[in-house]
Amino acid sequence: MKPLLAPSILSADFARLGKEAKEAQSAGADLLHVDVMDGRFVPNITIGIPVVESLKKEVEIPLDVHLMIVEPEKYIRDFIKAGANYISFHFEAAVHHHRIVETIKSEGAKAGVAVNPSTPINFLEEILPFLDFVLVMSVNPGFGGQKFIETSLRKIEKLKKMAEKLNQELLIEVDGGIKLDNVEKVLSSGARIIVAGSAVFKGNIKENVKAFKEKLKNFS
Ligand code: DX5
Ligand code: ZN
């Protein structure tokens, strides 16, 4: 499938969030990646449900909400009601993964599990058939602008093989440290949703999105 670009608003100017989100959309962004952090699962606090609700009124592209919070099951319904179209929660932050995935799907959103760099991808073996997508973290979650962890590439390839074995149409999303100069190897490994925060919102948003889209075009 054609790869999708999901700019992460974490690196946007929050005082001009609607405007910058629209700018990314009109330049060709396919999804808008929204990083929700609670200061417990990760050492940072960002935004919550009201911001998703407001963003929903500003853009038409789907909202891809990445929950970096403990007890995600408590908030999932509210995020979907606020307008989340894709929701991922962290494998490490949950106990009843299957129940949460079923809740997300029954509320009409696409369900994903996110995995930290040190979490073995094999841990997803049993939940995989129920997922629409997996978010592979290629940095430790919590902050934008970190360096891409190279071993993530092997992990993406491994996940792709696992999904192929199951004959499954799984979308692989990769998040953290993706720039114009490494996006191609991330795509070659099997990723089909590319998250980019600082590489899109720091500098000229329009030019950055267009440059990414140009690279994504060569993959199908
Ligand atoms: C990090 C977030 C990312 C972050 C990526 O915890 O999940 O989505 O915004 O930022 P960059 O692309 O700058 O690494
Ligand atoms: Zn993210």
Side-chain angles (χ1 to χ4, degrees), residues 33 35 66 68 135 137 175 195:
H33 185 83
D35 288 305
H66 176 192
M68 287 162 273
L135 191 165
M137 287 302 301
D175 182 6
V195 178

Side-chain angles (χ1 to χ4, degrees), residues 1-165:
M1 94 153 235
K2 219 170 97 279
L4 306 173
L5 180 67
S8 161
I9 59 162
L10 185 61
S11 291
D13 177 350
F14 280 179
R16 300 160 17 104
L17 188 54
K19 190 175 173 287
E20 295 199 355
K22 273 186 182 153
E23 215 172 314
Q25 172 177 266
S26 60
D30 301 290
L31 309 171
L32 206 60
H33 185 83
V34 181
D35 288 305
V36 177
M37 305 186 189
D38 65 353
R40 294 186 63 206
F41 179 66
V42 287
N44 196 3
I45 301 175
T46 55
I47 55 171
I49 294 151
V51 175
V52 172
E53 214 173 333
S54 298
L55 266 177
K56 194 70 188 170
K57 295 179 195 142
E58 296 293 305
V59 295
E60 286 103 56
I61 51 175
L63 301 180
D64 169 35
V65 175
H66 176 192
L67 297 178
M68 287 162 273
I69 63 175
V70 298
E71 300 179 308
E73 61 278 4
K74 283 192 181 168
Y75 306 97
I76 269 159
R77 283 193 177 85
D78 290 335
F79 274 104
I80 296 175
K81 224 179 275 157
N85 304 93
Y86 290 65
I87 292 219
S88 57
F89 62 96
H90 267 264
F91 182 81
E92 306 82 5
V95 179
H96 304 291
H97 305 91
H98 179 266
R99 181 182 294 152
I100 302 174
V101 166
E102 291 303 300
T103 304
I104 297 173
K105 294 205 289 197
S106 70
E107 297 289 325
K110 295 221 181 286
V113 165
V115 283
N116 280 343
S118 63
T119 300
I121 204 71
N122 294 344
F123 284 4
L124 299 190
E125 193 178 337
E126 304 303 333
I127 193 71
L128 206 56
F130 301 96
L131 299 179
D132 295 304
F133 70 105
V134 170
L135 191 165
V136 176
M137 287 302 301
S138 42
V139 298
N140 289 294
F143 304 93
Q146 302 180 79
K147 192 177 174 303
F148 184 84
I149 298 170
E150 289 293 326
T151 50
S152 312
L153 297 172
R154 255 189 294 135
K155 197 171 180 180
I156 301 162
E157 284 165 11
K158 211 166 166 182
L159 174 61
K160 192 177 174 212
K161 285 200 186 110
M162 285 166 70
E164 274 167 6
K165 244 194 209 158

